Each structure stands twice: as structure tokens, then as C-alpha cells.
Amino acid sequence: MPKRRAAITAVGHFVPETILSNADLEKMVDTTDEWIRTRTGISERRILKDGATSDLGAAAVRDLLSKRGIGPDEIDMIIVATVTPDMFFPSTACLIQEKVGAKKAWGFDVSAACSGFLFALMTGAQFIENGSYKRVVVVGADKMSSITDYTDRNNCILFGDASAAVLLEPSDDENGGIIDHILRCDGSGERYLNMRGGGSLNPASHETVDKGMHYLFQDGKSVFKVAVKGMADVSAEIVERNGLTGAQVDWLVPHQANLRIIDATAERMGLEPSKVMININKYGNTTAATIPLCLSEWWMDGKLRKGQTLVLAAFGAGYTWGSVLMRWTAGNRG
Ligand code: COA
């Protein structure tokens, strides 16, 4: 009997209205639009003024449900990838479950930073593949503005707020859905990208706040070197080990941290730039949301079509990184 595959059958997303442009940042820190665009590819990002990550996530799930034409009580499970949960507990998955009225669903959060969506996607896929559930919602949502220090020019230019969600269901096409994955982590990267304040290591205190330990810290140059290699390695490996060439890949869906990292990954895979999903210019790095946000926009624009072959790739704090190979099965839109 062929293996039961999990497939994405619908995608939804939400981006807040408020735009923080490079010109706005020029007024806040010592930077220029030119520096930001040439070093990162970012022109603007979105900021959630009121509300928290669960509000971002719930909006994406509502959008997803309306596109699939099902009700919230038809969801079996909600998995949320985030590094900006509303609070340590309860999980953001519980809060989204309540907000959307998914009365029959259970769920939990996954912490894998910028690789969070891929880690959560493969976790959800297991429950579909083993026949436990029929409808698993995987959310990538982050309110990065809540942990960004807007006096630190090295990092405040990079991040934005957004969410996106996918619905996983058993594939009715035996060649469709998620085909393969490579997921990795290396905790020795902790010192280069972290948020040390507020956890059990450094519980919240006046001192942790005074030292800015509740903000994201990144040694960008060190992370950049490892990210370029990590993302390119797993993207090339997943293509090769499935007997494919770059020519047979329709879309690379990369985590949007830096345009130069994305370009290097595409080049290593032998992909034309026209086959790479890029929206970092509009949203910056929205951490767990970047990959499903691309899927949602490209699907709604009618550019992501049934039967196409996709490689999803990410690199983030941990370090964590990985790639997923899939064939798109959701009905065409746009
Ligand atoms: N505006 C102007 N100058 C800036 C600046 C800004 N916003 N931020 C930093 N600079 C300065 C630096 O201070 C440095 O000056 P110096 O040489 O006098 O010290 C100079 O620009 C170059 O900085 P550098 O860190 O070498 O830039 P970079 O080319 O490495 O780009 C990042 C910085 C953060 C954009 C890049 O390192 C990056 O994208 N890192 C990885 C991000 C990532 O993938 N994270 C993982 C997932 S979240």
C-alpha cells in the first residue's frame, strides 16, 4: 500500500496594516534606506500596534478556514510555531484555539525560531501520515516588534510582524503532498542568536530589564556565515537525494532573513531567480511566518499551481535549520 501523505490543502495569512519603512527607521537610528536595502533586501515591514501573537495567528487561521470552506470545529489539532508567544503559558495554540472557536482541537507550541514553521509542519504531518487526524492546522506567527530593541540599528531593521497558517490533510493524490524532509539543530549556536532574559536562566528582574535582556540578540555576521551554508546545504541535499535537479524544482520557498542568503541558496541549487519566492522587501524577517506567508501570497496570486514541486528551506536560532520537499496539491486560485 502506498504511504499516506500529508498535503497542504489551503493557506491563509494576516499582515498588520501599520508599515515601518526604511525612511521611518532613518529617523530612529543611525542608518540609511540604501544600507538596509543593499545589505538585506528589506524596504519595509509591518508592525502590530494592538494585540499579541495569538491575534495574528487567529486572523491567519480564520483566513485559512474561509479559503478551505470549513468551520473551526472541523479542526483536529493546532500547532503554533513562534518565539513570541503571548506568554510562557498557556500556549499560544490554546489561545488561538479559543479565539477561532476550534472546540474539538487540541494543540501546542513549537519553539524553533526561524525554522519553527518547518519543525511544526513536519510534526503535524506525522499525525496525518499515521492516520490519527484528518485536519491539522500549522501556524507560523510572530510579533517580532515585541522583542526588538528599536535603538539597536544592527537588528531593528531586520524584523517585522505577521502570521500565516496552512491546513494539512491526507493527500488524495499518491504523488502529492510532503515527500521528504531534513531537519537539524546545533545548540552551540545559542551564543550568536538568543533572548536570554525572562527564562529560568535569567528570570525577569530590574537588572535583566536594565541590560536589555528581553530583546533579541544577534551577532549578525557570525549567523550570516552559518546560515548561508546551512540553508544551501540542506536545500541541495534534499533535491539530490530525491533524484531531482534544479530544473525540476518549480519553487524555492526560503525563510526570508536576508536576500543575500536566499540568492546564495538558489545559486547552489542551480535555480533561476524567477523560481524563488521573495517578499522580504515588503515584510522583513517575520520569523516563523515567512515561509507560509510566501505560500499564501503566491497561491492567492495564482502563481503556485497544483502539481508543482517545492523546496521549503529555513535557518534560525538554536541553531536550527532544515528543508522540506513537497508537491503542491491545493486547488488553483487566482
Ligand atoms: N545601518 C548602517 N550601518 C549598519 C547598520 C545599519 N542598520 N547595522 C550595522 N551597520 C554597520 C555595522 O556597524 C558595521 O560597521 P563597522 O564595519 O564600522 O563595524 C557595518 O555596517 C557592517 O556590518 P556587518 O555586520 O558586517 O553587516 P553585514 O553585511 O553582515 O549585514 C546583517 C548585517 C545583520 C544584515 C547580516 O549579517 C545578516 O543578515 N545576518 C544573518 C541574519 C540571519 O540569517 N539570521 C538567522 C535567522 S533570524
Side-chain angles (χ1 to χ4, degrees):
M1 225 175 68
K3 186 184 166 194
R4 183 203 317 258
R5 286 216 172 109
I8 294 176
T9 56
V11 199
H13 74 267
F14 175 78
V15 292
E17 271 174 28
T18 304
I19 292 175
L20 180 67
S21 68
N22 290 351
D24 296 328
L25 285 163
E26 282 178 349
K27 291 177 211 137
M28 296 159 67
V29 289
D30 181 16
T31 191
T32 62
D33 170 55
E34 207 261 334
W35 192 97
I36 301 172
R37 276 190 294 102
T38 52
R39 296 295 177 110
T40 69
I42 303 168
S43 297
E44 58 187 42
R45 60 293 289 137
R46 301 297 178 103
I47 303 295
L48 182 70
K49 286 283 183 204
D50 299 310
T53 297
S54 66
D55 298 301
L56 290 169
V61 174
R62 286 189 202 105
D63 184 39
L64 166 78
L65 294 175
S66 78
K67 282 174 183 153
R68 183 69 178 95
I70 59 169
D73 52 357
E74 293 176 82
I75 304 173
D76 298 314
M77 193 176 177
I78 300 173
I79 307 178
V80 180
T82 188
V83 287
T84 50
D86 288 27
M87 43 193 135
F88 270 167
F89 64 88
S91 71
T92 303
C94 287
L95 304 174
I96 292 176
Q97 179 267 344
E98 204 272 328
K99 282 181 179 167
V100 302
K103 294 199 171 60
K104 296 183 186 143
W106 69 290
F108 53 87
D109 292 359
V110 166
S111 171
C114 295
S115 311
F117 178 74
L118 296 190
F119 281 40
L121 182 74
M122 289 319 306
T123 306
Q126 307 312 306
F127 289 92
I128 299 286
E129 289 174 7
N130 70 22
S132 299
Y133 300 112
K134 292 218 164 64
R135 285 183 174 138
V136 175
V137 169
V138 179
V139 183
D142 270 300
K143 183 180 175 179
M144 294 306 291
S145 61
S146 68
I147 57 166
T148 298
D149 177 357
Y150 286 97
T151 64
D152 171 13
R153 71 172 184 173
N154 293 296
N155 287 310
C156 72
I157 56 151
L158 298 172
F159 296 97
D161 304 339
S163 67
V166 302
L167 181 65
L168 285 174
E169 296 185 77
S171 173
D172 46 20
D173 165 4
E174 68 181 54
N175 297 313
I178 296 173
I179 297 164
D180 195 10
H181 68 275
I182 299 171
L183 298 176
R184 305 223 191 282
C185 71
D186 173 4
S188 69
E190 176 271 337
R191 77 195 76 148
Y192 304 108
L193 184 45
N194 59 50
M195 194 184 86
R196 289 202 170 132
S200 56
L201 181 65
N202 300 293
S205 66
H206 287 291
E207 192 192 349
T208 60
V209 173
D210 290 345
K211 287 183 173 166
M213 290 168 75
H214 301 83
Y215 292 129
L216 171 149
F217 165 81
Q218 172 170 239
D219 172 352
K221 205 175 282 210
S222 301
V223 178
F224 186 89
K225 283 186 212 142
V226 206
V228 169
K229 182 167 169 14
M231 219 162 96
D233 280 355
V234 288
S235 304
E237 186 184 341
I238 206 160
V239 168
E240 281 157 27
R241 84 177 187 189
N242 283 277
L244 301 171
T245 64
Q248 291 161 295
V249 174
D250 295 294
W251 291 109
L252 169 66
V253 194
H255 170 55
Q256 315 276 310
N258 188 311
L259 189 55
R260 291 180 289 147
I261 300 176
I262 297 173
D263 289 344
T265 303
E267 199 180 311
R268 176 80 178 280
M269 292 170 74
L271 282 193
E272 316 257 321
S274 61
K275 288 182 167 187
V276 186
M277 294 190 189
I278 295 169
N279 60 11
I280 189 172
N281 47 315
K282 293 192 290 181
Y283 304 122
N285 182 351
T286 57
T287 303
T290 59
I291 291 176
L293 182 55
C294 281
L295 292 175
S296 189
E297 289 199 331
W298 264 251
W299 186 49
M300 286 312 289
D301 285 352
K303 291 183 283 187
L304 177 52
R305 317 282 298 173
K306 201 166 183 169
Q308 288 186 326
T309 301
L310 280 64
V311 172
L312 282 47
F315 189 95
Y319 295 126
T320 55
W321 69 107
S323 60
V324 171
L325 176 70
M326 68 169 69
R327 199 149 295 124
W328 195 252
T329 55
N332 293 337
R333 315 271 309 200

